[in-house]
Amino acid sequence: MRKISYIGLLSVLLAGPAMATYSDEMFRNEIAEGVDLVGARANADKPDAAAGELGLDVYQTADAGTNDDVQLFIPTSMYMRAGAGLNLPFATDAAQLNGVKHDTVGSWTTQIGLGWNLSSYVRTEIDFQESTFEFSDVDNMGATYQTIGGMLYFDFARRYVQMGDITYRRHFVPFMGLGAAAGVYKFDGAGGADGFVIAAPRATIGFNVMLNDLIGLDIMYQYQMMIGNGFGWNVRAGGVDNISNIMAAFRINF
């Protein structure tokens, strides 16, 4: 009986490592199979993103904000301006001819410029303007001037507002600007006050209305104090003349 007990105990001891080894491998295999099965089910339950869906999330701009005054916007660093304006005779000094004053009539200005957005409130711009003047009771005699100027603009409301990771743009932004310009006068006819002039200061006040994400319309009043060669014919060199325009220009952001 004692021999049988020894033989049974020896059998158990010899079989133990084999059973332990088998159980360990089975455990590892079951874990591996379970991980693969979970991954396969996760992949099967998760559909692929529809074509263009990511782009829609990133670039969609319509009706993105909770405020009707703002929309989703990607801020830009530069813009171009192109527009024109009409002279305001009641706010412009009259030209002189032989001591007689003649008011401006049918006068207009064109403008093209390049600007930089320095912040959400401040921007700077260089521009070229050409103005054509006609005068009451003076036939076949007019004037033109061409200037290159620099302006610093201040917006009275943030052009764009940051809300978390999303940026919104504002539809309506009032602004003012201050700067200077330099150029030349050219008066048609004998005795015209031709020559070099400085517009200092040049000041504007107006508002911008965004038509879409990149194009807006500026409506503004522009005042220029012209220092240089007088304003008219047979007038002394020097002096100061005031010129006013109402301007409309498209601002194209990029």
Side-chain angles (χ1 to χ4, degrees):
M1 181 63 67
R2 183 176 296 177
K3 290 182 179 181
I4 293 174
S5 299
Y6 287 152
I7 292 173
L9 179 61
L10 181 60
S11 299
V12 171
L13 292 175
L14 291 175
M19 292 177 63
T21 302
Y22 173 78
S23 298
D24 183 66
E25 290 179 354
M26 288 296 297
F27 177 75
R28 293 176 183 273
N29 290 337
E30 290 174 359
I31 292 297
E33 291 176 0
V35 170
D36 291 341
L37 181 59
V38 170
R41 288 178 177 174
N43 291 334
D45 295 338
K46 184 177 180 181
D48 294 335
E53 184 174 339
L54 178 59
L56 182 63
D57 291 340
V58 175
Y59 296 109
Q60 185 175 5
T61 60
D63 301 326
T66 57
N67 188 336
D68 292 338
D69 189 42
V70 293
Q71 284 185 323
L72 183 62
F73 179 57
I74 301 174
T76 57
S77 58
M78 298 182 67
Y79 64 87
M80 293 184 63
R81 180 199 300 282
L86 293 175
N87 177 256
L88 300 176
F90 62 87
T92 298
D93 289 347
Q96 295 189 51
L97 174 59
N98 298 323
V100 179
K101 294 184 177 180
H102 299 272
D103 293 330
T104 59
V105 293
S107 304
W108 49 277
T109 298
T110 57
Q111 177 192 41
I112 185 169
L114 180 66
W116 292 263
N117 295 319
L118 304 180
S119 73
S120 185
Y121 286 105
V122 182
R123 51 194 169 86
T124 186
E125 180 181 321
I126 57 174
D127 76 337
F128 171 79
Q129 292 191 29
E130 182 175 60
S131 297
T132 300
F133 291 93
E134 295 181 359
F135 303 93
S136 62
D137 303 321
V138 177
D139 296 330
N140 301 321
M141 300 178 73
T144 60
Y145 75 78
Q146 299 173 332
T147 59
I148 296 177
M151 296 287 293
L152 190 64
Y153 288 97
F154 303 91
D155 295 319
F156 296 147
R158 291 184 65 95
R159 291 189 304 278
Y160 53 86
V161 180
Q162 193 76 25
M163 297 181 181
D165 294 332
I166 300 177
T167 303
Y168 299 95
R169 69 165 171 81
R170 198 175 300 276
H171 295 292
F172 179 87
V173 177
F175 64 84
M176 66 172 292
L178 187 64
V184 293
Y185 271 118
K186 172 62 177 176
F187 276 76
D188 299 328
D194 301 337
F196 178 78
V197 293
I198 296 175
R202 174 189 280 178
T204 65
I205 186 166
F207 60 88
N208 169 259
V209 177
M210 292 299 295
L211 305 179
N212 57 36
D213 283 347
L214 298 178
I215 301 176
L217 178 64
D218 289 344
I219 304 295
M220 62 185 179
Y221 163 78
Q222 175 180 267
Y223 165 79
Q224 298 182 94
M225 187 172 72
M226 309 300 292
I227 304 170
N229 290 299
F231 198 64
W233 297 263
N234 301 318
V235 295
R236 66 178 179 83
V240 173
D241 295 281
N242 302 289
I243 297 176
S244 294
N245 294 302
I246 186 73
M247 307 284 292
F250 287 103
R251 195 194 311 173
I252 304 171
N253 298 275
F254 63 93

